[in-house]
Amino acid sequence: MGISKQSIEDLKGRAKISDFILSSTTGKLRGNKGMALCPFHGEKTASMSFTDEDNLFHCFGCKEGGDIFKYIQLIHNVEFQESVEIAADKYSFNLSYTDSKFETNQKFLVEKIKKISEFFVKNMNEVKSNEAINYLKERNLDGEDIKNFKLGFAEKDEKKLIEYCKSIDITDNEFKRLGLFSEKGNFLFKNKIIFPITNFRSEVVGFGGRALDDFGPKYLNSSESSIYKKNRTLFFLPDFLKDVKKNKFAIIVEGYFDVIAFNKLGYNNVASPSGTALTIQQLNQISKYTDEIYLCFDNDEAGIKATKRVVEIKNNISKDINLYCILLPEKFKDISEYYESGEQDINNIISEKRDLIEFCIDNLIIEQGESNKKKVFIAFKEFSNYLSPLEKDLSIEYLGKKLGINKETLNSELSFKDELVTTTHYKEESEKTNKHIETFKDIFISSLIKNDFELNEKSKELIEVSSEIDKEVNKIKDNQNSNELEKYQNISYSEDQLDEAIVRLILFYSEIKIQDLIDKIDLSKDVSLFPKVEEIKKKIEFYQNTL
């Protein structure tokens, strides 16, 4: 049954898109409009605008946009009708359903692809799939595993599949819309073992295929469709969510057989981005169910690179997570090889997990050579750009211990490099900036005098972030008969110029305050200042988007 159009419109009038955006990402609402960090692509500066008045959002970075229901669809990875129902639940709104036979396009496609999945499973149980069954036996999987994991088989000739689809009223056009054809119109899964890819409601939305011949790529996924988005969908087996809740952590691996291997070793809380790079959206999906995530990528250069990339994207997701690496013995390429060799002692390996950042630093040292401390430091400096202030401080301490260099020296080296660049190359630019700051201060103070020192919200934020401005304003307030007042009263400016002046001052003094706070931090005694640093950084990101 469908939801009546009138009911959807009435709910839209009551709902506020800001309630969903501000609960899923970092942002700020001013009146009916706001800016936020886009949760659909990696960014450090807010580029997604939204408005409660029209219940719309738009990202200027990745160009994603739409109404409140589109946002809920994307953030929760659900279909349209379910997005409406999620919004209705939040506001205790009673939806009206129609008595018609209307079903969303997505639900229709989900029903059709389920039947195709059943066809593949049936194929696996027939004689013609002996090659597939023998291959799975070589990988230590038996008939019970094939049944439990609902593995299927697609023949070289797709005629029988096409005939089957026609018999259940799936047209050629619908077959293509399900993502089973390449852009050139070729069937994707000829002579392949089929892995059903499901959503979190256990509905099949796509397929992964492992080739049984040497022609073409070994692994292939469905093409994107309205029900299967590669950057948001993960491959996992039926007990995934149940086991995540039980173990209170999730494991991310590279491929289909890696997921199966962990399941066979007793861990069902495992998911894979299906052989592609892990995305922010996929990490966001998992973080909804746990904040403890273990990475177990392949024991090769590509696997290490994929592991490091997670550091680059982790701070762009909507909540804080703890990331670790599971380190397999060097002789095994991946967890599949570990399982297929007959090894069973996975519990000890998992218990000896490593902190992700420490793992990455260890690899930087291995890559550059421990004896070449300068190269290691240069590589670390680039790596540290992806770390939060606390992570950066802790990682400098860890690096110092590994290299035998004290933490203070490493911090001084970082500061020295930055100061050298500024002094040598940007001295003139710095002088220009200081002149601009003085001009902005004059405009701001002039506005206060003309308005009897009445502070609006932005002015209060500036006073709060800058003790220097605060002292200067108070000094003028206490000496209002001074001739100095005449200097400020003769300054002319427009409202736009005043607004920009205040924002520029907030940005300038916020950077100074962050550095002052970091200088005061002593990790051995207190880390309470870090939340304040993060709060100011978010303020900087917000105001940068208002210029």
Side-chain angles (χ1 to χ4, degrees):
M1 298 178 73
I3 304 170
S4 72
K5 289 183 179 180
Q6 188 58 53
S7 188
I8 293 172
E9 288 303 312
D10 290 344
L11 172 60
K12 203 170 183 179
R14 182 181 297 187
K16 289 184 178 180
I17 196 170
S18 61
D19 290 339
F20 294 93
I21 289 176
L22 298 180
S23 66
S24 59
T25 187
T26 302
K28 197 160 186 178
L29 180 69
R30 289 184 176 277
N32 284 325
K33 297 180 180 179
M35 293 292 295
L37 291 176
C38 178
F40 310 121
H41 79 286
E43 63 176 8
K44 293 184 179 179
T45 303
S47 63
M48 186 176 75
S49 67
F50 60 94
T51 168
D52 280 338
E53 186 175 354
D54 300 310
N55 269 326
L56 297 173
F57 76 99
H58 176 76
C59 175
F60 294 97
C62 67
K63 309 303 180 186
E64 193 67 77
D67 66 6
I68 182 172
F69 303 124
K70 176 68 177 296
Y71 185 83
I72 296 171
Q73 277 185 268
L74 294 174
I75 206 69
H76 289 287
N77 201 27
V78 297
E79 321 307 341
F80 174 75
Q81 183 160 317
E82 191 170 351
S83 73
V84 176
E85 290 167 346
I86 288 171
D89 286 343
K90 182 172 183 65
Y91 300 104
S92 301
F93 182 89
N94 291 321
L95 293 168
S96 299
Y97 290 83
T98 63
D99 293 327
S100 70
K101 295 180 180 179
F102 169 78
E103 289 183 335
T104 62
N105 175 56
Q106 286 83 355
K107 284 194 173 183
F108 171 79
L109 292 176
V110 165
E111 288 176 3
K112 299 299 183 184
I113 204 168
K114 178 185 176 184
K115 292 179 180 179
I116 293 175
S117 180
E118 290 169 353
F119 175 86
F120 289 144
V121 170
K122 183 183 176 184
N123 256 5
M124 180 63 83
N125 296 321
E126 295 183 2
V127 179
K128 59 177 169 288
S129 62
N130 276 346
E131 186 184 2
I133 291 172
N134 290 336
Y135 174 80
L136 293 170
K137 281 181 181 177
E138 290 173 8
R139 305 207 64 162
N140 212 5
L141 301 175
D142 57 25
E144 196 65 25
D145 297 323
I146 292 170
K147 180 181 176 183
N148 291 340
F149 304 143
K150 297 180 181 177
L151 303 182
F153 174 68
E155 299 171 72
K156 288 183 180 180
D157 189 347
E158 70 268 28
K159 286 180 181 177
K160 195 167 182 181
L161 174 59
I162 300 294
E163 288 173 6
Y164 169 77
C165 289
K166 286 180 179 178
S167 73
I168 57 172
D169 298 323
I170 298 179
T171 66
D172 290 345
N173 184 49
E174 289 164 353
F175 193 68
K176 291 175 183 176
R177 285 167 60 201
L178 290 170
L180 303 182
F181 279 94
S182 68
E183 290 182 1
K184 295 181 179 179
N186 298 317
F187 179 56
L188 289 170
F189 299 107
K190 292 180 180 182
N191 200 32
K192 288 181 174 61
I193 294 170
I194 302 296
F195 304 86
I197 300 174
T198 63
N199 57 26
F200 286 111
R201 296 186 301 281
S202 300
E203 298 169 334
V204 178
V205 294
F207 300 109
R210 203 293 179 185
L212 291 172
D213 48 43
D214 296 328
F215 179 76
K218 280 186 180 179
Y219 291 93
L220 205 60
N221 299 336
S222 295
S223 298
E224 290 215 350
S225 67
S226 62
I227 59 173
Y228 174 57
K229 303 297 180 186
K230 291 184 181 181
N231 66 339
R232 298 191 184 101
T233 311
L234 293 147
F235 172 72
F236 47 82
L237 295 171
D239 291 328
F240 173 69
L241 287 181
K242 179 182 174 184
D243 224 44
V244 168
K245 291 173 184 175
K246 173 187 169 185
N247 290 310
K248 296 184 170 37
F249 69 88
I251 301 171
I252 302 178
V253 293
E254 285 198 27
Y256 305 108
F257 282 109
D258 295 329
V259 173
I260 290 174
F262 262 117
N263 273 253
K264 291 292 290 178
L265 290 167
Y267 288 87
N268 304 316
N269 53 328
V270 188
S272 162
S274 304
T276 60
L278 184 69
T279 66
I280 295 166
Q281 293 88 342
Q282 290 166 336
L283 202 54
N284 251 326
Q285 291 289 333
I286 295 176
S287 71
K288 293 173 188 174
Y289 304 100
T290 180
D291 58 6
E292 297 276 321
I293 297 173
Y294 302 173
L295 307 174
C296 188
F297 294 152
D298 288 0
N299 253 344
D300 56 18
E301 187 178 341
I304 292 170
K305 187 176 180 181
T307 302
K308 288 180 180 177
R309 185 181 176 277
V310 178
V311 176
E312 298 176 21
I313 67 173
K314 67 181 179 57
N315 289 328
N316 290 308
I317 70 167
S318 56
K319 64 180 288 190
D320 292 328
I321 54 175
N322 301 308
L323 288 157
Y324 303 92
C325 295
I326 297 175
L327 305 183
L328 298 172
E330 287 185 9
K331 64 179 179 179
F332 298 112
K333 176 182 176 290
D334 52 34
I335 189 65
S336 298
E337 199 171 278
Y338 177 89
Y339 162 70
E340 289 157 21
S341 71
E343 295 279 355
Q344 295 290 323
D345 191 20
I346 192 65
N347 293 338
N348 282 341
I349 291 176
I350 291 176
S351 67
E352 292 172 0
K353 65 188 182 295
R354 291 289 312 282
D355 176 82
L356 172 62
I357 293 173
E358 289 183 4
F359 168 81
C360 291
I361 291 173
D362 288 345
N363 271 280
L364 284 179
I365 294 171
I366 292 170
E367 287 171 1
Q368 304 301 329
E370 190 171 351
S371 60
N372 198 330
K373 297 179 180 181
K374 187 173 182 180
K375 272 191 174 182
V376 171
F377 178 78
I378 292 169
F380 169 77
K381 186 177 181 183
E382 183 179 350
F383 170 75
S384 68
N385 289 329
Y386 301 106
L387 305 181
S388 70
L390 177 56
E391 290 170 336
K392 190 172 184 177
D393 198 88
L394 291 171
S395 63
I396 288 173
E397 190 170 15
Y398 180 78
L399 179 65
K401 288 177 181 177
K402 297 290 287 188
L403 297 180
I405 302 173
N406 65 58
K407 178 182 173 183
E408 290 71 25
T409 301
L410 290 177
N411 271 319
S412 297
E413 180 72 7
L414 283 173
S415 301
F416 169 72
K417 292 289 184 183
D418 290 339
E419 288 167 6
L420 188 63
V421 170
T422 302
T423 304
T424 308
H425 299 287
Y426 298 109
K427 187 174 181 182
E428 289 184 12
E429 190 65 34
S430 180
E431 289 173 354
K432 287 179 184 177
T433 299
N434 288 334
K435 287 180 181 178
H436 289 320
I437 292 301
E438 291 303 315
T439 301
F440 295 145
K441 280 168 61 177
D442 289 346
I443 292 173
F444 172 65
I445 293 171
S446 172
S447 73
L448 290 184
I449 293 171
K450 291 175 182 177
N451 290 286
D452 296 323
F453 293 91
E454 185 178 335
L455 300 173
N456 59 23
E457 191 175 347
K458 271 186 190 171
S459 300
K460 288 176 184 176
E461 288 194 16
L462 173 56
I463 296 292
E464 182 183 338
V465 82
S466 172
S467 57
E468 178 186 325
I469 294 277
D470 189 26
K471 287 177 184 176
E472 204 161 331
V473 169
N474 285 326
K475 181 181 176 182
I476 294 170
K477 278 177 74 175
D478 294 339
N479 298 281
Q480 290 198 41
N481 293 325
S482 168
N483 291 332
E484 193 175 3
L485 287 179
E486 187 176 344
K487 163 191 168 184
Y488 293 108
Q489 288 170 339
N490 292 328
I491 294 174
S492 61
Y493 52 85
S494 67
E495 285 300 314
D496 286 342
Q497 288 171 327
L498 171 61
D499 191 61
E500 182 180 353
I502 296 173
V503 170
R504 296 284 185 189
L505 289 170
I506 290 174
L507 292 174
F508 179 78
Y509 286 106
S510 292
E511 294 284 1
I512 293 174
K513 187 155 189 175
I514 284 178
Q515 192 57 53
D516 288 343
L517 288 170
I518 290 175
D519 290 343
K520 291 176 185 176
I521 291 171
D522 183 349
L523 282 177
S524 64
K525 298 177 182 177
D526 183 24
V527 293
S528 61
L529 291 176
F530 278 112
K532 184 65 177 175
V533 170
E534 287 301 303
E535 182 185 332
I536 296 173
K537 284 182 71 178
K538 288 177 182 177
K539 186 182 293 184
I540 288 172
E541 289 173 354
F542 173 79
Y543 278 114
Q544 281 174 336
N545 277 279
T546 66
L547 292 172

